[in-house]
Amino acid sequence: MPSSFSHLRLRYALSNSKIHCRLIHNTAPAFPSFQRAPFHHQPLPNFHTFSSLLHQFSNTLIHVKSIHAQIIRNWVSNEHFLATKLIKGYSDLGFLNFARHVFDHCSHPDTILCNVMMNGYVRNQRYNEVLRLFKMMGSCDIEINSYTCNFALKACTGLLDNEMGAEIVGMAVENGFHSHPYVGSSVINFLVKSGNLDDARMVFDRMPERDVVCWNSIIGGYVHEGHFKEAIEMFLEMIGCGIRPSPVTMASIIKACGESGLRKLGRCVHGCVLALGMGDDVFVLTSLVDMYSNLGDTDSASLVFDCMCSRNLVSWNAMISGYVQNGMIPESFALFNRLVRSGIGFDSGTLVSLIQGCSQTSDLENGKILHACVIRKGFESNLVLSTTIVDMYFKCGAPKQATNVFRRMEKRNVITWTAMLVGFSQNGYAEDALKLYSQMQEENVAANSATLVSLVHCCANVGSLKKGRSVHAHLIRHCYAFDVVNMSALIDMYAKCGKIHSAEKLFNYGFPLKDVILCNSMIMGYGMHGHGHHAIGVYNRMMEEGLKPNQTTFVSLLTACSHSGLVQEGKTLFQSMERDHNIKPRDKHYACLVDLLSRAGHLDEANALVKQMPFEPSTNVLEALLSGCRTHKNINMGIQIADKLLSLDYLNSGIYVMLSNIYAEARRWDSVNHIRGLMRIRGLRKTPAYSLIEIGNRVYTFFASDDSHPKWEDIYQLLENLRHEVEDLGYVPDTSCVLRNVNEPMKVKLLWGHSERLAIAFGLLSTPYGSLIKITKNLRVCVDCHTVTKYISKIVKREIIVRDANRFHHFVNGECSCDDYW
């Protein structure tokens, strides 16, 4: 009915103007243009009549087209004036093609006409057309005024066209247009978006008049660049100048408070929002929900959300995201259920937050349900959502599902590839990650800093020095290598690849940055190589430079002391944590100290420490003590600790394996069989031992008694020859390392089938005489393999580096860097 009434009003208005018009939709021309109609004997309406009609009846396309048709049929003067009105009418309705057709049929368009057309393009985000029209004005010598520059700058900002934008800024400054508040605001906004915040501030300071939009631009720029202190100072200056803040102003300041952790100021700003009468503004209140969530105050965020008179989907998503980022996953799902019941519906942003919640809690079941929801809603093409699903499956330990999602994605960006690489690396599939990177290169996807760092970690995990150096070179070429996080990853990679001196050089180069993360990586690297005193030296250097250690620093230090047998030094460092640095020891620090005492044979002291802990010992602490019991063959204590462990984590296969080994070393085979039977009943499997060696550009994997390699016959023949040679040098097999109830000859045979020996033999066959051989093993090297490798290094006159689960062993001329302590 309203539409019909509007038609009647238009009919009446046209009839009063003595214009014959049939208001039938198909009578309006599809692309009307300005042409003089045949001469009529009746009086012709003037342009004021049509201007008034367009002002009243521009709410629907049929109205605008009908008036346009009558303008064509009746000669009217001032055609540019009416063309301007028509272009605005069509643009307001979103019909840019009709608007442009009117524009193109105007002879000699002037500045005003061009500006109206540009404004229509800007409001409909057709930025390329804005710049084309701007260039056309320049080529046709049409005057460019402040409005023209304003629209063109908005287009450059939308397109991130810094080059063209800089030209327009220069033009605006040269002609003094930047002094106009609306142009100055666009200039500031462009400079902020293009990363020239200092220039934006200079323009702002020189403006004679500044309205709230100008203030919003500069304050928003500071917030966008993370300069929260400056943003707050500008806000206070704005208030002092008597400028009333708008909702956009308040949203920017609210974000600054949330991002910078200013809880008290955030509450003051909340009070200011209420005082300004913005208590019903959905945009501002949603910003408050987000702020309180960032501050970890979900109670306040929830209170603001519940008190909102009206909410949009952005508000619901902000609250759900706030719950997720604060680890309140059940609450996020409960709120999601409320959202669904409200009938508002949800979008991809809602699902992204919920899926991230599943990632945090490794909730594979709900993750799959949400994935199914994504498919039903047709959101699979959403790149952010698909990438989040990939990450979720990896975090839930389901790499196959993650890979399937990745393969089905029609479009992938560098973030998606990086999620896959990180997922493979974190789930122990470093080789697959390196293969995926090769595929990424084949598809010409440019890696970013995060991609390359994940590759560095992959190279570290598999001990691939060649690929690690290649990635390091890539980081240097793209100027990423001098970032603290990247440099720390490289130090870790070189240390784990056995090149501790390369790690040292990199650390010494980066130490002037004075970053604790960098120092922690070097301390951990020294610890892996058994250089406990060097690790403590880095700590002392930190103290001299005034660097404050963190919890990770002491974990690294205690680990280094543990691998080097520095018992007294480790105990002193542990005691200094709370006394000198106000760092309360956590579970992981107690686990390191217990490991240090247990390795050194101080089992009673370690056990007493466990009993004196201010909180219940975790499985990590008890496993460290259990490992010490096995090493020093304290069966009774080992059984007691194992019983405690199984009551805490009865599905941890490592506990069963360690307890089984303790029984096996004591030759209590009935107990061994009982433990292994329990593992079978509970569906637990022992982690198979394997060793890696890099030859050429490929990493080879060997398992115990492996005969799958094409050269396995040559490998076993070489090992047989080496066995005779080491026996001639006095080697006697230590068959206590074979934890199986078989005869002695079979135990010796099993020892010579250990994965690290197969890898060493393959390395000897495949590399030039005298070159370094480097092995990576996923478990601890057994005592007999350690002894044999010392002999082999002397026989073949080569350095052999073995990185096991605990540390590095550098074998040279019959000696090991660990001094038989590991």
Side-chain angles (χ1 to χ4, degrees), residues 279 349 579 613 631 653 676:
R579 182 189 65 214
M613 284 174 61
T631 301
S653 62
R676 290 177 179 171

Side-chain angles (χ1 to χ4, degrees), residues 469 472 476 481-482 487-488 490-492 494-495 498-513 518 521-522 525-526 534 538 541:
R469 281 175 169 164
H472 187 182
I476 292 172
F482 308 109
M487 198 176 288
S488 300
L490 286 167
I491 289 171
D492 179 66
Y494 280 117
K499 291 293 181 180
I500 192 65
H501 296 302
S502 297
E504 282 177 335
K505 288 180 182 177
L506 200 57
F507 172 72
N508 290 327
Y509 181 81
F511 186 78
L513 296 173
L518 210 64
S521 294
M522 195 66 243
Y526 278 135
H534 287 80
V538 173
R541 192 172 168 187

Side-chain angles (χ1 to χ4, degrees), residues 381-398:
S381 60
N382 186 299
L383 198 56
V384 174
L385 190 50
S386 295
T387 302
T388 307
I389 292 170
V390 167
D391 180 67
M392 179 271 295
Y393 277 125
F394 273 122
K395 294 282 175 60
C396 293

Side-chain angles (χ1 to χ4, degrees), residues 163 201 331 340 360 457 600:
E163 185 177 349
R201 179 61 187 269
E331 288 81 356
V340 173
Q360 288 183 26
H457 289 304

Side-chain angles (χ1 to χ4, degrees), residues 120-139:
Y121 280 138
V122 167
R123 283 188 288 110
N124 287 273
Q125 298 183 358
R126 300 267 289 270
Y127 300 128
N128 285 312
E129 285 87 341
V130 175
L131 296 183
R132 289 193 192 100
L133 191 53
F134 178 79
K135 292 174 183 176
M136 184 271 288
M137 291 177 69
S139 63

Side-chain angles (χ1 to χ4, degrees), residues 48 318 595 692 698 739:
H48 292 294
D595 184 63
L692 308 173
R698 183 177 171 186
L739 305 177

Side-chain angles (χ1 to χ4, degrees), residues 718-731 752 791 795-796:
L718 177 58
L719 285 175
E720 183 63 18
N721 296 338
L722 288 171
R723 185 175 69 83
H724 291 301
E725 292 190 59
V726 298
E727 286 175 353
D728 290 341
L729 291 175
Y731 160 73
W752 282 90
Y791 278 116
I795 293 168
V796 301

